[in-house]
Amino acid sequence: MTSNREIHLASRPEGWPTEDTFRLVETDVPTPGPGQIVVRNQFMSVDPYMRGRMNDVKSYVPPYALDAPLDGAAIGEVVASESADVAVGDTVLHGLGWREYALLDAGAARRVDPSLAPASAYLSVLGMPGLTAYAGLLEVAAMKPGETVFVSAAAGSVGSLVGQIAKLKGAGRVIGSAGSAAKVERLRALGFDAAFDYHDGSVRDSLRAAAPDGVDVYFDNVGGDHLEAAISAMNLHGRAAICGMIAQYNDTEPPAAPRNLSLVIGKRLTLRGFLVRDHNHLRDAFVRDVAGWLPEGTLSYDETVVDGIENAPAAFLGLLRGENLGKMLVRL
C-alpha cells in the first residue's frame, strides 16, 4: 500500500458537530526514521472526550489542530520498524487513531498479545474504558461491599463495566440509566438490579423508585439532570466519581442543573472528578481481575463496530447521539 487515509478537523463546531466538521484526506504511507515504527491500524476508538478537544480552549489535553489529523486510541500491526524493541508483525496499542497508517516513536506504543483477547478488546474491556470503570468505582468512589451504586450512561463502554464490577466486588444494589428500552433490557441481562430509560420521565423520580433506600456511590458519565437526581438520592457521606458529562458537551448555554448543590453540605457528600491516566498504578490489579472474570464469563462487554475510516465521523456522531451499545469502534 502506498496511500494512507486520515480524518482531519475541518472546522471547530459550535454546538453539535456535523459531517462537515471533518475532512477525509489522502496522504502517502509514512516511512519510519530511526527509533520509529509504522502501524497499520486495525481498530480505532471514538470517545466522548474528543468533543471537547474540537474546541480551541485550554484543557487537560491540547485541542485538535485545524486541517490536521485527529488522534485517539488505536490498535494495529507493525508493518515497518526502525527500532530494536518493536518488530514487524507485533500488535501494538498507541494514540494515533483517525488514520489508516500511523508513524510514531516505538516508545509511544505498547505491545499486546492478540492471542489473549481479540485486538478490539484492548480498546474496550482491557483498555481505557475498563481501567476507567475499575479505578473510578474502586479508588475514586471507594465503593464498599453492600453499598448501592448508581451508574449513568450505563449501557456505554465504561458504564456497563462499572455496574458489573460493582456486583463482582460485592455491591448490595446496582442501578443504571440508559437511553432506550433495548439498552435497559441489556443492563438487566448484565446483572444490574434495576435500570430505567431516562426518556420515560423525570430522572429524579425514576431513581427514587429504583433506589428507595438511597444511593451510596454515583458514577457520573452524564452530568446535568442525572447529577442533580443523584445528589438528591445520595445517602450521608455518599461519593460520586465524576467521569464525564456528555449531556453538556454540545451545549452552547450554561447548564440548568444541578440546582441542588447545597445538599452536598448537609449530606457531607464527596464529588470527585478524575482522569484515568492518574490511576495507572492500578493497571496490574485491573488486568489480573479482568483476566479472571472474562474466561469465567462473569464479566461481559459489548462493542458497536463501524467499518471504514471514511465512516469514523459518522461513528463519532452516533456515539454522541447514544447509538452505541458498549464501546464504539471503527474497524479500518
Side-chain angles (χ1 to χ4, degrees):
M1 294 290 293
T2 57
S3 64
N4 174 40
R5 295 185 297 168
E6 306 172 335
I7 300 294
H8 289 205
L9 185 65
S11 62
R12 298 200 185 280
E14 294 185 11
W16 282 83
T18 68
E19 291 280 355
D20 291 337
T21 303
F22 309 91
R23 181 181 299 118
L24 180 64
V25 176
E26 188 167 314
T27 65
D28 293 331
V29 174
T31 301
Q36 293 184 317
I37 60 174
V38 175
V39 181
R40 172 65 171 96
N41 286 334
Q42 298 167 330
F43 289 91
M44 57 163 272
S45 174
V46 292
D47 300 284
Y49 81 88
M50 295 173 174
R51 174 61 186 87
R53 294 189 66 191
M54 294 175 187
N55 299 331
D56 189 11
V57 296
K58 186 176 180 180
S59 185
Y60 61 91
V61 285
Y64 290 128
L66 285 173
D67 301 314
L70 291 85
D71 60 62
I75 192 167
E77 180 183 356
V78 176
V79 294
S81 176
E82 291 296 330
S83 167
D85 299 320
V86 181
V88 170
D90 284 349
T91 299
V92 297
L93 188 67
H94 62 91
L96 292 181
W98 294 88
R99 67 204 79 188
E100 292 175 321
Y101 289 86
L103 172 68
L104 62 150
D105 292 336
R110 179 164 62 90
R111 282 185 294 182
V112 300
D113 186 349
S115 69
L116 296 179
S120 60
Y122 289 97
L123 295 174
S124 58
V125 65
L126 287 171
M128 181 269 287
L131 183 57
T132 299
Y134 190 92
L137 177 70
L138 301 179
E139 184 164 85
V140 178
M143 188 209 83
K144 296 184 283 291
E147 292 189 318
T148 295
V149 177
F150 172 46
V151 188
S152 58
S157 60
V158 173
S160 60
L161 298 176
V162 172
Q164 293 179 84
I165 293 170
K167 294 296 289 186
L168 288 163
K169 291 292 186 177
R173 184 168 177 80
V174 177
I175 300 150
S177 73
S180 72
K183 289 182 178 181
V184 166
E185 285 304 309
R186 179 57 179 159
L187 294 181
R188 292 179 176 136
L190 290 175
F192 282 67
D193 296 291
F196 61 86
D197 182 345
Y198 61 82
H199 294 112
D200 286 346
S202 159
V203 175
R204 183 173 178 172
D205 291 344
S206 296
L207 180 57
R208 184 183 294 116
D213 296 322
V215 170
D216 301 298
V217 168
Y218 172 47
F219 196 104
D220 189 16
N221 292 304
V222 173
D225 58 351
H226 278 73
L227 179 56
E228 183 176 278
I231 289 171
S232 292
M234 288 176 82
N235 295 323
L236 200 66
H237 300 296
R239 290 92 61 207
I242 312 297
C243 178
M245 295 189 176
I246 194 171
Q248 300 167 28
Y249 289 169
N250 297 301
D251 287 351
T252 57
E253 298 293 333
R259 296 161 294 188
N260 58 349
L261 282 174
S262 62
L263 293 178
V264 170
I265 303 167
K267 292 187 176 187
R268 282 84 99 194
L269 304 181
T270 299
L271 312 183
R272 182 179 170 191
F274 74 102
L275 299 177
V276 66
R277 69 188 186 191
D278 296 332
H279 300 273
N280 280 324
H281 60 281
L282 295 176
R283 184 172 295 278
D284 288 345
F286 158 68
V287 171
R288 183 170 58 251
D289 277 346
V290 172
W293 293 330
L294 286 176
E296 290 173 355
T298 52
L299 183 68
S300 300
Y301 65 100
D302 295 310
E303 295 176 345
T304 300
V305 179
V306 174
D307 284 306
I309 185 73
E310 68 278 8
N311 293 315
F316 176 71
L317 297 176
L319 171 75
L320 295 182
R321 291 190 294 263
E323 295 174 359
N324 58 301
L325 183 64
K327 185 77 187 81
M328 180 71 90
L329 296 169
V330 180
R331 181 164 40 211
L332 306 178

